[in-house]
Every structure is written in structure tokens, then in C-alpha cells.
Amino acid sequence: MTTSTRAKQSGSGIAREGGLANEVLEFVWRRREVSRAEIARRTGRSRSTISEAVARLLPTGLIEEVGSGESRGGRRPILIGFRDDASTILGVDIGAAHVSVALTDLRGRILEWREENHPVRSDPHGTAALAVKLGDACLAARGPGAPDPMGIGVAVPSPVDPLSPYRILERILPAWHEFDLLGELRGHFGIPVFFDNDANLGALAEHHWGKAVGIDDFAYLKVATGIGAGLMIDGEIYRGATGVAGEIGHVAIDPRGPPCVCGNRGCLATFVGTRALVARTRTLLSDFPQSVLAGTDPDIWALEDAALADDPLALKVVDEAARNLGIVIAGVLNLMNPGSVILGGSLARLGDRLVKPLKEAVASRTLVASAAASDIRTSELGPRATALGAATHVLVAALADPSLFPGVKAR
Amino acid sequence: MTTSTRAKQSGSGIAREGGLANEVLEFVWRRREVSRAEIARRTGRSRSTISEAVARLLPTGLIEEVGSGESRGGRRPILIGFRDDASTILGVDIGAAHVSVALTDLRGRILEWREENHPVRSDPHGTAALAVKLGDACLAARGPGAPDPMGIGVAVPSPVDPLSPYRILERILPAWHEFDLLGELRGHFGIPVFFDNDANLGALAEHHWGKAVGIDDFAYLKVATGIGAGLMIDGEIYRGATGVAGEIGHVAIDPRGPPCVCGNRGCLATFVGTRALVARTRTLLSDFPQSVLAGTDPDIWALEDAALADDPLALKVVDEAARNLGIVIAGVLNLMNPGSVILGGSLARLGDRLVKPLKEAVASRTLVASAAASDIRTSELGPRATALGAATHVLVAALADPSLFPGVKAR
DNA sequence: CTGACTTTGTTCGGTTGCCGAACAAAGTGC
DNA sequence: GCACTTTGTTCGGCAACCGAACAAAGTCAG
């Protein structure tokens, strides 16, 4: 009870401390070019108040006057623009077997990109060293004008408990027990480090740069080695009571299905995880001698490529996966009624080949019309989505509290 | 995008308009008796500020000085108390086949109670007339000191879309198409009318008066004619993008299960709804000649009574229902990670007879330890929970905006 | 081209909400 | 009895925000 009071406290507290400047800064960021009068109209404040807030923000270099706009029947407005190149952000994607790092500007543009495979599960120290190496490489390669990064975002393939952020990975990655990845990164780069679950950050990336721009309630499903969901509710990532919301890989979709590593039967992961799809493909190889995959030892990339070429074997595997995913997505729609469902992970590049059977499976399992009407789409952000989402996390934090930006005074 | 900006606007806007008084009022309500200094400490405001806010609230009659508390080593504090009897609220529960009305005070105490069976589905006008009749009866029966009601809360057995609140019931109750229940009630009683889905309001009742006091993230499942869930996220009811979140009756739990009225197979409602349980009991009657139900034509009440008496047939039916419910609850835990799951509806009175097999089914279907540890409990609010929740809805609205209280000036 | 009207952005006085310091009242404890 | 605490109030002051007024810069009808 005290906690809930505190939470509400800090809610209004932020607005009191940061004043109007934060709100104006975020507004300018979102609108890119906007006049003082327009800000006043859209935020409900008076022009004089906005003028004052802009005057306080201009010296920070985060916004600037960028010329004049069209007249609306009177004096031309002076447009205020956000300086996307005022700083940079490092986004780190720790996968099950790879590490990738993106250097972005403040508009989600990837300025540099480095990627390397690595046995992440078993080697935390090597993973941290690799992240540092790739991060340094990004910084070294950036153009002469690009400023130093202001923060680091890290995506981890594991639930993140907001209440105890420092012992996180141990549940799913036992070798990582008590290893302080964040401390290593902060120690080397000397800037703030944020982190979160990879599916959550994928959802954040979609919300800012992808198919969920303008949608504040949606579910993002990432199909990779594991299957995870990132839930955005009212514009914010929802983590649940202990930070494990969205762990849908082991939702049971068939009580008579095959056994799973988790000890149950018929988990979604036994049908739709990357390994399950590859295994299923191999099983079906003998039935499809005409397939382009016949005679090969396919991996997930070959499977996807074959599906994109309309290979019958690959399409059958994708179709089955879509129907199984559909069972879980129908459950998500019935329970949470998101405005949209975005599919991420490498499978997303299959587009309609995945979505069409998925929609059929979902439509036959949702009662309420508006839930069934919820649109299901594939991400177009590609393999860099997770690292981009990690960087976006830092951007969101900085826009909410500009004191994180170097050179910006806290008050 | 504009919408989301507006939403944030109104968020900080409320705090600006209502000032501190609202916050203090809600705080006093929650703490029942608390001194000015204590409020100042817990809200982070200065004593002088709180003193001023209290001075503005005292003339409204909603709070009063109720004596002095224990000294903490200095002057004794003057305790401020909330006047639970300053007003009353009507809570109306529209069920599938009954209408019940509660008259409560501002502390959720039920002062009067009226209930009557009625063919709600097919007779909207008669239902409205009955609600008016029962409400009038509650008001007529109240003691001489009890004040007039300040608002009416209505629970309806149908999703409620917050964006179009006036055409709601038609989806599930076709006869109600375009019938303005709220207008009828407002017209007769002349006070504000609020309404929401019954499962949502059940969750609200648990949050204020039941097993979820102090828990801000939980799921409430109501098993009745239909099955619905009320989701509380961060202390607020979550409705989803179009208001149908929590409609879990038609989540598929067995793709090879029996056909459902919704057109699919193996929906939860075909296994666990009231009618399904009764039908299942009848089917099993011949196998349990020793059952107390043998030779009878049992209804849901008889089934529950038999289970409470440890009748083997009834226990078997309950056990099966628990395992089927467990499949869906496991999905809810994996997806949303609520801090608690509360079971409502009449089945809740079975207590551990329901919860024990339920927990077993859930434990075998949830991977992450903290999700599996989530506690599952039965409601203890009884058959009046929904009407109480409807009244609570009005209370919450009034505490957030005291101008709803008669006699309280808007500013 | 001119004059009436709009829109923008700034300046300035005033209101509001909240805080901190100071103080009286009322208590505790050695 | 005396030093110290805590409570609640009063009062001066600060910061945020607003509205009115105004100059600058534009549109548009004639």
C-alpha cells in the first residue's frame, strides 16, 4: 500500500521536478519540426509558457530553430527542430549464440553495426569482452562529427525483474549466475547502462520505429531459439508482478503433445522454436523428394529461404508453425485484447506466408468480433530490431529525464 | 499520436486541476485515521501544505477531526478521519438471469440488499424497471440517518468498450441492442451512473475489500454462466484496445474437444461454465450410484453443496473443472505474470476443494519459478461481490474527483 | 497598394501552489 | 523543572503558469 502510494507520488513528482521542459522536449522529438504556438495548442499550455520552456531548452543544444513554416493566415511560425545528432546511443543485443552492437543517433538511425557469433550461454566473461570489443569498434568507426554515446542499452534473452535488476540471467542462463554484465559495461564505457528482456525491447522498437507507431496497446511476439512476448500497455512495457510477463514459450497448446525440456507436454516451444522447426523439416524431408531442401541438412535460414521460394516442404512447416502460434495468439487476443500483434524474429521475413495461415487459425478461435479484427502483422525492422530496441530504451529514458544527456544541467 | 499526447495531458492535468486536495482525500480514506503530519510524511509534502489542503476539505464534511492520537515524543497529533457515512452508493448487478442491488456506504458496507430473478437476456425494459424497483426498495428501507446516494454503479455481463460506452450489450445480449439502460437509471434517480463489465468490477471489489487488498497486479476469474476475467494492472482495470480484455470463456484448451456455441472446439466454456458442470454431473450420475446426487436432477447449487460434503461425484466434477481452469490460468500466469489470481463466482465457496487440484494443474504448466509461485486463492466476498464492485467503481470515481459528491464545490 | 485582420512570439503583472522558517501549543523524559 | 520533540499554524518567498497587451510579420479583400 505504501508502495502504491509512492508510485503515484513519483508519478506526479516527475512532472513537478522536471517541469514543462521535459514534456516540450519529448513533444519536439516526436513532431520533429513544430512551432511554439503549435506546441502550446497541442499541450494545452499558453504560448508564453511554452516560449519560456523553449528558451530554457535551446541552450542545451538538443533543440534548435530550423527556419520558418507555412503561415496560417498570419505571421510565419518559427519551427523548432530536434537535433537527432546531438548525441549517440549504443544498443547491445545479447542473443543465445551471438552478440551484436548498434551505434544509433537520437532518431533510431543505425550509424554503425557489428555482430559476432559467440557461445553466450556458457561464457559470460567472453560475452562481456565481446560486447566491449564490438562497442569500441562501433565508436572507432563512427564519422568525425558523431558525438560520444550518452548511454548503453542491453537486450538479454531472459526475463528481467524490475525489482532486483542485478541477478537476472541466472534462471535461464545458469552460467551467468552472479555475473555483473552491466557493471562491466559501465566500467569500460563510463556511461549509464540500461537493460531489459529482448522481446520487451523488440516491442519498444516497433512502437517507435516499426509497425506499432501510434499504437499504445499491442503484443510483440519474437520467435527465435526461444519464444517470448513483449507486451505494451498504454504506451509502456508491461513486466508483470515479478518481471516475467510474456514468457509464453511454455504455454501448453496440446496436452497430448510431445514432451518439452521444461518437463511438460505440448509446450509452444516444442512446436515453433527455431530448433523445433528445423527438426520438423528434417522429419518431413523424405516425404518431399521434390523439395529444394531434399538431400541437404537444412538450418533455419535455409528453411526460411525455401519458404520464400514457395518450396512445398518449407511452406508446410511454416503453415504448421503458424497454426500452432495461432492457438497462443488467439489466447492473447481473448485475454488482453491488444490493438495489434506484431511478429518479430527471423521468421517475420516470411510475411504473408506466415500471417495468412496464422490469421485463419486465430479467426477460428476468437469469439468477440473486435478481438478477431485485431490486425496481425510481421515486423519489417529486420535482424537489427533488438539492438535498435535496446538503444531506444536509452532514448526513452533520456527524453523523460534530460539530465542524462551530457552537457544538460539537471535543473 | 495525438490521442496519446492528450492522455498524458489529462494525466498531469488532473493533478493540476484537482490540486492536492484529491490526493489528501484519497489518502485519508485509505488510512481511515491519520494526522496532518503523517500525511505530509507519506506524501512527501510539507506540513504547511497539507494543513492547507485539510482546511479546504474539512468544510465538505467528507473528513473530520476525530480526536487525538498517540504522541511520538511530542505534541499529540490531531487525527483526521474519513466520514464513511457522508454519502451512500447504489451498486447494481445485472446477471444473466437475475438483478441485485446493494446500497453501500463509502466503506463498502452493504446497508441494504435486494435481489430478484429475471429473464435479463430477453427483456431489457423489464430489467431496467426491476433495477429501479429494487433500488427504490433499498432507499426506502435505509435508516433515517442514511443520506441520499451520490451515484449508481452497474455491472453488466458483457464487455464494455471505454470508447463507445453506450452501445455495449448488443454483442452478447442482442435484445439489448440500442437500449439505454444507463439513461433509464439516470432519469429515475437523477444521479451519475457508471458501469463496467461484471468481472472487472469483481476484480475491483477484491482490490478494495477482498483478497487483493494491497496487490496492484492480479487477475480475477469469475466462473458463472459464462467465464470472464478482470485484469488489474498497476492498480487499474485493464480493458485492452477495444474493451474486451478478459473474455477468456472461449480460449481453446483442447483442439479435439467438444464443439462450442461460438463455432469452435474445446473452448473453456464447454468444460467449466455452470451449464457444462451441471451437464457433466448428469452424465456421470449413473457411474456414482452412491452419490448424494444419485436419483436427483442436480443444479449448480446442489453440485456445490455435494462437493462441500465431499461427495465423490461432485468432487470428480470439480476436480475436472479445476484441471481445465488450470490450463487457462497457467496461460495467464505465463503471459501476464500477475501477483495473484483470485477465483470468484459461486464456485469460489468450494475453497481448497477447487484450489488444490487447480494449483497442481498450474504447477505442471508453468516454467518460471516465480510465475508458478503466484498464489491462487478463492474470493471470500460471496454472492454480493459484483454489486459491491459496482458500488466501489463509483467510490473510486468520487475519490478521484470529489466534485461528484453532492455539496462539494468543484473547486 | 492599402488597410483590416490573423497569427506568432515576447514581455509583464498577477495568481496559485507549494515550501521553509519561525513560532506557539502540547507533549516526553531525565 | 528543564531540555528536547512533535504537531499544527502563520507568513514571506519562490517558481510555474496564465492572460493581457504589444510588436513583428504575414494574409486577403478591395
Side-chain angles (χ1 to χ4, degrees):
Chain A
M1 202 156 231
T2 300
T3 309
S4 105
T5 303
R6 277 282 147 220
K8 285 181 182 174
Q9 272 305 307
S10 83
S12 66
I14 284 173
R16 221 182 316 123
E17 283 174 35
L20 185 54
N22 292 6
E23 198 177 328
V24 170
L25 180 63
E26 207 226 319
F27 192 83
V28 172
W29 180 86
R30 211 169 1 179
R31 298 289 295 259
R32 294 171 187 240
E33 291 192 342
V34 62
S35 69
R36 292 168 174 86
E38 179 73 7
I39 299 174
R41 273 192 298 270
R42 311 295 281 209
T43 61
R45 264 60 178 261
S46 71
R47 291 200 311 272
S48 51
T49 304
I50 297 299
S51 227
E52 191 186 339
V54 168
R56 275 207 304 274
L57 281 170
L58 279 173
T60 67
L62 289 171
I63 64 174
E64 61 185 347
E65 300 190 337
V66 293
S68 57
E70 288 300 294
S71 163
R72 307 189 339 149
R75 170 177 166 176
R76 279 206 187 118
I78 303 171
L79 294 183
I80 310 291
F82 190 90
R83 291 218 25 228
D84 297 342
D85 58 350
S87 188
T88 57
I89 302 171
L90 277 173
V92 179
D93 172 14
I94 311 274
H98 75 276
V99 174
S100 42
V101 176
L103 180 73
T104 78
D105 67 5
L106 302 182
R107 188 62 63 183
R109 276 182 286 256
I110 294 179
L111 308 174
E112 292 295 331
W113 173 259
R114 295 292 186 280
E115 187 172 17
E116 204 165 298
N117 288 331
H118 189 82
V120 169
R121 280 181 109 76
S122 55
D123 179 19
H125 291 89
T127 300
L130 178 56
V132 164
K133 185 184 104 179
L134 298 179
D136 278 337
C138 283
L139 294 184
R142 92 198 116 131
D148 288 336
M150 50 162 293
I152 306 178
V154 183
V156 293
S158 154
V160 169
D161 186 341
L163 296 180
S164 58
Y166 288 102
R167 43 193 177 93
I168 285 308
L169 300 155
E170 60 195 73
R171 290 196 199 108
I172 296 199
L173 307 180
W176 284 68
H177 180 66
E178 303 254 317
F179 176 70
D180 184 12
L181 171 66
L182 286 77
E184 298 275 316
L185 292 175
R186 188 173 3 235
H188 179 82
F189 291 102
I191 51 181
V193 180
F194 300 80
F195 77 125
D196 202 344
N197 169 268
D198 56 350
N200 288 348
L201 292 175
L204 195 62
E206 294 297 333
H207 187 241
H208 277 73
W209 325 109
K211 290 281 185 69
V213 168
I215 302 177
D216 280 350
D217 292 83
F218 70 95
Y220 172 85
L221 265 75
K222 183 182 178 186
V223 179
T225 309
I227 302 168
L231 307 175
M232 179 149 293
I233 291 180
D234 202 21
E236 301 207 349
I237 295 295
Y238 180 69
R239 292 187 173 75
T242 59
V244 300
E247 289 297 304
I248 59 169
H250 298 272
V251 169
I253 61 174
D254 184 350
R256 279 158 286 200
C260 174
V261 290
C262 74
N264 293 317
R265 291 191 156 273
C267 295
L268 179 61
T270 65
F271 292 101
V272 186
T274 301
R275 285 182 206 130
L277 294 183
V278 171
R280 178 67 177 154
T281 305
R282 285 178 183 149
T283 303
L284 290 175
L285 271 179
S286 55
D287 297 344
F288 287 84
Q290 79 282 27
S291 166
V292 297
L293 297 170
T296 72
D297 185 20
D299 59 12
I300 186 68
W301 304 103
L303 171 62
E304 290 169 10
D305 287 340
L308 283 171
D310 291 323
D311 178 76
L313 164 55
L315 285 183
K316 179 174 170 60
V317 172
V318 168
D319 203 74
E320 289 176 3
R323 291 183 187 284
N324 286 318
L325 260 184
I327 295 174
V328 171
I329 291 180
V332 173
L333 291 178
N334 280 312
L335 183 64
M336 309 214 28
N337 183 218
S340 192
V341 175
I342 317 277
L343 301 170
S346 68
L347 236 54
R349 65 190 180 113
L350 299 184
D352 269 353
R353 289 174 177 82
L354 177 67
V355 169
K356 192 156 170 285
L358 193 50
K359 279 190 171 171
E360 289 171 11
V362 167
S364 74
R365 290 177 180 281
T366 43
L367 172 66
V368 182
S370 61
S374 171
D375 59 346
I376 301 173
R377 297 184 275 179
T378 47
S379 168
E380 285 175 357
L381 292 178
R384 300 179 179 186
T386 305
L388 178 60
T392 307
H393 189 193
V394 180
L395 174 67
V396 169
L399 288 176
D401 178 10
S403 68
L404 290 175
F405 287 103
V408 176
K409 296 146 287 295
R411 182 159 296 264
Chain B
M1 202 156 229
T2 301
T3 309
S4 104
T5 303
R6 278 280 148 221
K8 284 181 183 173
Q9 272 306 306
S10 82
S12 67
I14 284 173
R16 221 182 315 123
E17 283 174 34
L20 186 54
N22 292 6
E23 199 177 329
V24 170
L25 181 63
E26 207 226 320
F27 192 83
V28 172
W29 180 85
R30 211 169 1 176
R31 298 288 295 257
R32 294 174 187 235
E33 291 192 343
V34 62
S35 70
R36 293 169 174 86
E38 178 73 7
I39 300 173
R41 274 192 298 271
R42 311 294 282 207
T43 62
R45 264 56 180 263
S46 71
R47 291 199 310 273
S48 52
T49 304
I50 297 300
S51 226
E52 192 186 337
V54 168
R56 277 207 302 272
L57 282 170
L58 278 173
T60 67
L62 289 171
I63 64 174
E64 62 183 346
E65 299 189 339
V66 293
S68 56
E70 287 300 294
S71 164
R72 307 191 337 153
R75 170 176 167 178
R76 277 205 189 117
I78 303 171
L79 294 183
I80 311 292
F82 190 91
R83 290 216 29 226
D84 297 340
D85 57 350
S87 189
T88 57
I89 303 171
L90 278 174
V92 179
D93 172 14
I94 311 275
H98 76 274
V99 174
S100 41
V101 176
L103 179 73
T104 78
D105 67 5
L106 301 183
R107 189 62 63 181
R109 274 181 289 255
I110 295 179
L111 308 174
E112 292 296 331
W113 174 260
R114 295 292 186 279
E115 187 172 18
E116 204 163 299
N117 288 332
H118 190 83
V120 170
R121 282 181 108 76
S122 55
D123 179 19
H125 289 87
T127 301
L130 179 55
V132 164
K133 184 184 106 180
L134 298 179
D136 279 338
C138 283
L139 293 183
R142 95 197 113 132
D148 287 337
M150 49 163 292
I152 305 176
V154 183
V156 294
S158 152
V160 170
D161 186 341
L163 296 181
S164 58
Y166 287 102
R167 42 194 176 92
I168 285 308
L169 299 153
E170 60 195 72
R171 290 196 200 109
I172 295 200
L173 307 180
W176 284 68
H177 181 67
E178 302 254 318
F179 177 68
D180 184 12
L181 171 65
L182 285 76
E184 297 276 317
L185 292 176
R186 190 176 359 239
H188 179 81
F189 291 103
I191 51 180
V193 180
F194 300 80
F195 77 125
D196 202 344
N197 168 268
D198 57 350
N200 288 347
L201 292 174
L204 195 62
E206 294 296 333
H207 187 240
H208 277 73
W209 324 108
K211 290 281 185 70
V213 169
I215 302 178
D216 279 351
D217 292 83
F218 70 94
Y220 172 86
L221 264 76
K222 183 180 178 186
V223 179
T225 309
I227 302 169
L231 307 175
M232 180 149 292
I233 290 181
D234 203 21
E236 302 207 349
I237 295 295
Y238 179 70
R239 292 187 173 74
T242 58
V244 300
E247 288 298 303
I248 59 170
H250 298 273
V251 170
I253 61 175
D254 183 351
R256 280 157 285 200
C260 174
V261 291
C262 75
N264 294 317
R265 291 190 156 273
C267 294
L268 179 62
T270 65
F271 292 101
V272 186
T274 301
R275 285 184 206 127
L277 294 183
V278 171
R280 177 68 176 153
T281 305
R282 286 177 183 147
T283 304
L284 291 175
L285 272 179
S286 56
D287 297 343
F288 288 81
Q290 78 283 27
S291 166
V292 299
L293 298 170
T296 73
D297 185 20
D299 59 12
I300 186 67
W301 304 102
L303 171 62
E304 290 169 11
D305 287 340
L308 284 170
D310 291 323
D311 179 76
L313 164 56
L315 286 183
K316 178 174 170 63
V317 172
V318 169
D319 203 73
E320 289 176 3
R323 292 184 186 283
N324 286 319
L325 260 185
I327 295 174
V328 172
I329 291 180
V332 174
L333 292 178
N334 280 312
L335 183 63
M336 308 210 34
N337 182 218
S340 192
V341 175
I342 316 276
L343 299 170
S346 68
L347 237 54
R349 65 190 180 113
L350 299 183
D352 270 353
R353 288 174 178 82
L354 177 68
V355 169
K356 193 157 168 286
L358 192 51
K359 280 190 172 173
E360 289 171 12
V362 167
S364 74
R365 291 176 178 280
T366 43
L367 172 66
V368 184
S370 61
S374 171
D375 60 347
I376 301 173
R377 296 184 276 180
T378 48
S379 168
E380 286 176 357
L381 292 178
R384 300 179 179 184
T386 305
L388 178 59
T392 307
H393 189 192
V394 180
L395 174 66
V396 170
L399 288 176
D401 178 10
S403 69
L404 290 174
F405 288 103
V408 176
K409 297 143 289 292
R411 182 163 296 265

